[in-house]
């Protein structure tokens, strides 16, 4: 066995060859094992002689010898079997502490409310599901961080969870941060994010999606932000972010530069957007209800936008449109919606080289500002 450090291990055995103990004198640890009458490992205790702490593991089997549970100090791993007798069809983990979630295709079940001085959960594998079971995460208590962060992994689902940050001095500390991945879903999640109330901006977002990301669903979610620059849902990237669905969601933001939904193409595109049954209330300046577009007229654009059954209320009269499209290079559709702003209800700044059309069907609003685009209104 090749190792990077010196090992000095001493073993003891029972009379049939089961390992009873391992003495790791180099690392000051002792391992003790216990077996049942079928010689299956049922208990392990790791004693750290330096910290005087113990880690215990208990193993539970079904009637035909399949391992169904591994129980340790901070989590329980459950194995489910269906067709292949000895191959688990599902792995779920019951856990009670923040940390790295790195077992692929696994459901992590939260068993208690958690708090963290900085970031709580770091995703480290594909196919992770976090089921909060109605519990909560209080993050960034001391240092800036995220409730949940995923960079470069696919298939993340977050559900049945409350995520909040109550520190008013926190910055760059969003509730959920997802970047460079596909198949991201948030369902039945309640996000409450504070932050700075005066310059500089806190940039604490409820849900922050960055860069190359596809197949995003935000459903049955409530988001409340109370920090300057606290956008509720913010997506930006130098590469493509496509297939975005936001539905059955309620948003309230209370400070300057706190858009309800901000989908910003930056260097490339934000595309194929569906927004359904959304309520947005913003209460401060430079905080549109929904903003879709980009910041570079040559490259950035949004498009393929379908918005329906949306109720938007924007209280500020300063740079706060109800719905704003900027540099959108494909047609947009809004139907069965109500849009109100003390600034302008509908703001459209289309592409100079390729102006598009925007269709408002059965939608109530009073004021508009249009540049480089066509707006069609129809009631049915």
């Amino acid at each position: 066995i090749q190792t990077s450090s010196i090992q000095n291990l001493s073993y003891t055995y029972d009379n049939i060859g089961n390992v009873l103990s391992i003495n790791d004198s180099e690392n000051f640890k002792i391992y003790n094992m216990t077996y049942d009458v079928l010689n299956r490992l049922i208990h392990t205790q790791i004693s750290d002689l330096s910290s005087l702490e113990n880690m215990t593991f208990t193993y539970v089997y079904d009637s035909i010898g399949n391992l169904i549970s591994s129980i340790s100090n901070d989590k329980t791993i459950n194995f489910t079997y269906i067709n292949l007798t000895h191959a688990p069809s599902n792995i779920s983990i019951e856990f009670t502490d923040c940390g790295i979630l790195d077992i692929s295709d696994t459901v992590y079940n939260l068993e208690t409310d958690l708090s963290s001085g900085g970031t709580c959960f770091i995703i480290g594998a594909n196919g992770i599901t976090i089921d909060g079971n109605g519990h909560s995460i209080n993050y960034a208590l001391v240092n800036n961080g995220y409730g949940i962060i995923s960079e470069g992994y696919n298939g993340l689902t977050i559900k049945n969870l409350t995520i909040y940050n109550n520190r008013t001095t926190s910055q760059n500390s969003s509730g959920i941060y997802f970047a460079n991945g596909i198949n991201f879903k948030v369902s039945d999640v309640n996000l409450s994010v504070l932050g700075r109330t005066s310059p500089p901006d806190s940039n604490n977002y409820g849900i922050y999606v960055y860069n190359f990301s596809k197949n995003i669903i935000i459903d049955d979610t409530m988001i409340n932000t109370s920090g300057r620059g606290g956008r509720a849902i913010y997506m930006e990237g130098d590469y493509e972010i496509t297939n975005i669905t936001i539905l059955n969601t309620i948003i309230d933001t209370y400070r300057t530069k706190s858009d309800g939904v901000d989908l910003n193409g930056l260097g490339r595109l934000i595309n194929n957007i569906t927004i359904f049954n959304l309520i947005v209330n913003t209460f401060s300046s430079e905080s549109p209800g929904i903003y879709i577009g980009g910041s570079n007229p040559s490259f950035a654009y949004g498009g393929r936008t379908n918005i329906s059954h949306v109720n938007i209320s924007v209280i500020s009269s300063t740079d706060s449109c109800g719905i704003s499209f900027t540099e959108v290079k494909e047609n947009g559709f809004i139907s069965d919606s109500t849009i109100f702003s003390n600034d302008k209800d509908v703001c459209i700044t289309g592409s100079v080289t390729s102006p598009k059309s925007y269709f408002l069907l059965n939608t109530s609003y009073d004021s508009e500002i249009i540049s480089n685009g066509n707006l069609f209104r129809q009631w049915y």
Side-chain angles (χ1 to χ4, degrees), residues 3-229:
T3 64
S4 59
S5 59
I6 296 174
Q7 286 190 331
N8 186 4
L9 306 175
S10 300
Y11 297 82
T12 63
Y13 304 86
D14 62 16
N15 56 8
I16 61 172
N18 293 319
V19 178
L20 294 178
S21 67
I22 303 173
N23 186 350
D24 182 356
S25 59
E26 288 293 326
N27 296 302
F28 305 103
K29 292 182 180 180
I30 296 176
Y31 300 75
N32 291 291
M33 280 72 78
T34 305
Y35 302 83
D36 64 11
V37 295
L38 297 177
N39 296 307
R40 297 177 301 192
L41 180 65
I42 59 172
H43 185 78
T44 299
Q45 178 172 299
I46 304 173
S47 301
D48 191 321
L49 303 181
S50 299
S51 64
L52 301 180
E53 295 179 350
N54 294 329
M55 176 69 76
T56 62
F57 297 85
T58 300
Y59 307 99
V60 181
Y61 304 86
D62 64 15
S63 59
I64 59 174
N66 292 319
L67 178 66
I68 57 174
S69 294
S70 172
I71 305 167
S72 62
N73 297 49
D74 59 349
K75 63 177 175 287
T76 298
I77 304 177
N78 297 311
F79 304 88
T80 303
Y81 305 83
I82 298 179
N83 296 322
L84 299 177
T85 305
H86 299 293
S89 59
N90 183 64
I91 301 173
S92 65
I93 298 179
E94 301 172 10
F95 60 103
T96 57
D97 203 359
C98 295
I100 300 173
L101 311 183
D102 57 2
I103 301 177
S104 61
D105 302 315
T106 297
V107 178
Y108 286 82
N109 292 292
L110 188 58
E111 295 298 310
T112 187
D113 297 340
L114 299 180
S115 60
S116 173
T119 295
C120 184
F121 292 124
I122 300 172
I123 303 302
N126 295 325
I128 297 293
T129 296
I130 299 175
D131 189 340
N133 290 306
H135 292 290
S136 64
I137 295 172
N138 184 4
Y139 70 98
L141 287 169
V142 179
N143 302 308
N144 296 333
Y146 301 98
I148 300 168
I149 179 172
S150 175
E151 295 182 285
Y153 294 99
N154 303 324
L156 174 62
T157 297
I158 303 167
K159 62 182 181 179
N160 307 324
L161 181 64
T162 295
I163 303 173
Y164 65 100
N165 167 13
N166 284 338
R167 187 162 64 90
T168 56
T169 58
S170 62
Q171 291 180 276
N172 302 312
S173 297
S174 300
I176 300 171
Y177 176 74
F178 182 84
N180 299 309
I182 63 174
N183 301 332
F184 169 49
K185 183 176 182 180
V186 176
S187 177
D188 192 18
V189 171
N190 189 334
L191 291 123
S192 180
V193 181
L194 298 187
R196 296 179 58 87
T197 58
S198 59
D201 296 346
S202 63
N203 296 326
N204 293 349
Y205 313 131
I207 298 174
Y208 182 18
V209 176
Y210 179 70
N211 229 12
F212 183 84
S213 300
K214 291 184 177 182
N215 306 335
I216 299 157
I217 298 175
I218 300 170
D219 183 20
D220 193 21
T221 291
M222 298 181 65
I223 306 174
N224 180 308
T225 71
S226 299
R228 182 184 173 94

Side-chain angles (χ1 to χ4, degrees), residues 253-287:
T253 73
Y254 291 92
R255 297 292 178 180
T256 300
K257 298 181 180 179
S258 297
D259 308 10
V261 176
D262 188 327
L263 310 181
N264 193 335
L266 293 182
R268 288 294 182 268
L269 71 98
I270 298 283
N271 206 2
N272 197 12
I273 302 159
T274 299
I275 299 175
F276 175 80
N277 196 24
L278 179 73
I279 298 174
V280 179
N281 301 296
T282 73
F283 294 90
S284 194
S285 61
E286 300 176 66
S287 302

